[in-house]
Amino acid sequence: GIQVEQSPPDLILQEGANSTLRCNFSDSVNNLQWFHQNPWGQLINLFYIPSGTKQNGRLSATTVATERYSLLYISSSQTTDSGVYFCAVVLKADSWGKLQFGAGTQVVVTP
Amino acid sequence: EAGVAQSPRYKIIEKRQSVAFWCNPISGHATLYWYQQILGQGPKLLIQFQNNGVVDDSQLPKDRFSAERLKGVDSTLKIQPAKLEDSAVYLCASSPKRGLYNEQFFGPGTRLTVL
């Protein structure tokens, strides 16, 4: 089956630092989403980005579908950015569109 | 616009007991998903409904798990009897149509502990 690999698995940042999270996927996809799971377990939608580049405040994302990877950029990190970041994809071969998740990147932002 | 609603938020039961979770998707969303998230892992799909019909339940342990979406709106997921390994967060999500080209939105989840 498809593999969704996220790196790094863990990231410790000082407040104000920038970082890049990576998501590699092994098959062609129709849909790619980035989520932030906060300490209470809520999955918060960050980006719906099957291709191209999007920005939302201090966060931006780029997906290069032909090369099967996506990047999430966090700039000027804040303590509220702490949590787990998930990448999830929908395979082109999947008629019904279920999301397949990576294992996540655990981010800790220290004051 | 209201998001995906789930209840209860937390549940603690003994093994071999039964439990039920409820989900109300975003208004007008035709597709509803139940995912299971075990600690330290990403969520995994259990079952997907398109309106009130099941379109994917290949990962649902059907000997103990069941789900329904009778009127094509809210849904119930049941576990009977529960096992220790069912301890997880159960997440409900919805999308306007099939998730191929549609963003999925998640509820707050139900955290189940089986003792």
Side-chain angles (χ1 to χ4, degrees), chain A residues 41-64:
Chain A
Q42 173 81 55
L43 274 173
I44 298 164
N45 290 39
L46 297 178
F47 294 102
Y48 168 72
I49 187 165
S51 64
T53 297
K54 291 186 177 180
Q55 180 153 10
N56 184 1
R58 295 180 297 101
L59 301 181
S60 63
T62 295
T63 297
V64 184

Side-chain angles (χ1 to χ4, degrees), chain B residues 82-99:
Chain B
K83 292 185 174 181
L84 296 177
E85 59 260 35
D86 299 332
S87 293
V89 177
Y90 291 84
L91 294 160
C92 180
S94 70
S95 64
K97 300 176 187 177
R98 293 182 295 171

Side-chain angles (χ1 to χ4, degrees), chain A residues 94 96-98, chain B residues 31-35 44-50 52-69 75-78:
Chain A
D94 185 336
W96 293 104
K98 67 173 176 286
Chain B
T31 309
L32 185 148
Y33 313 79
W34 284 101
Y35 290 84
K44 292 180 181 173
L45 183 75
L46 290 174
I47 188 167
Q48 178 180 347
F49 293 91
Q50 183 70 20
N52 60 351
V54 175
V55 298
D56 187 348
D57 63 357
S58 56
Q59 299 302 308
L60 188 74
K62 298 180 188 63
D63 57 334
R64 298 183 301 105
F65 286 64
S66 64
E68 59 184 14
R69 191 185 185 198
S75 175
T76 303
L77 177 70
K78 296 179 181 177

Side-chain angles (χ1 to χ4, degrees), chain A residues 33 37 45 94 96-97, chain B residues 37 48 98 100-101 103-104:
Chain A
Q33 291 185 242
Q37 189 163 45
N45 290 39
D94 185 336
W96 293 104
Chain B
Q37 185 178 19
Q48 178 180 347
R98 293 182 295 171
L100 283 177
Y101 304 106
E103 193 171 359
Q104 294 184 32

Side-chain angles (χ1 to χ4, degrees), chain A:
Chain A
I2 189 171
Q3 290 184 328
V4 182
E5 296 179 345
Q6 292 186 242
S7 60
D10 300 280
L11 191 58
I12 300 176
L13 300 168
Q14 194 138 26
E15 206 167 18
N18 303 329
S19 63
T20 302
L21 282 58
R22 187 176 181 101
C23 173
N24 291 336
F25 41 94
S26 59
D27 288 307
S28 298
V29 299
N30 278 326
N31 177 359
L32 187 145
Q33 291 185 242
W34 282 99
F35 296 91
H36 175 213
Q37 189 163 45
N38 65 22
W40 296 271
Q42 173 81 55
L43 274 173
I44 298 164
N45 290 39
L46 297 178
F47 294 102
Y48 168 72
I49 187 165
S51 64
T53 297
K54 291 186 177 180
Q55 180 153 10
N56 184 1
R58 295 180 297 101
L59 301 181
S60 63
T62 295
T63 297
V64 184
T66 53
E67 297 187 21
R68 299 184 182 170
Y69 73 89
S70 183
L71 302 174
L72 178 70
Y73 307 96
I74 305 174
S75 64
S76 304
S77 57
Q78 300 177 358
T79 55
T80 52
D81 295 331
S82 296
V84 183
Y85 289 79
F86 286 104
C87 165
V89 303
V90 174
L91 282 181
K92 269 196 192 297
D94 185 336
S95 300
W96 293 104
K98 67 173 176 286
L99 283 172
Q100 303 205 45
F101 284 76
T105 293
Q106 173 83 56
V107 173
V108 175
V109 182
T110 61

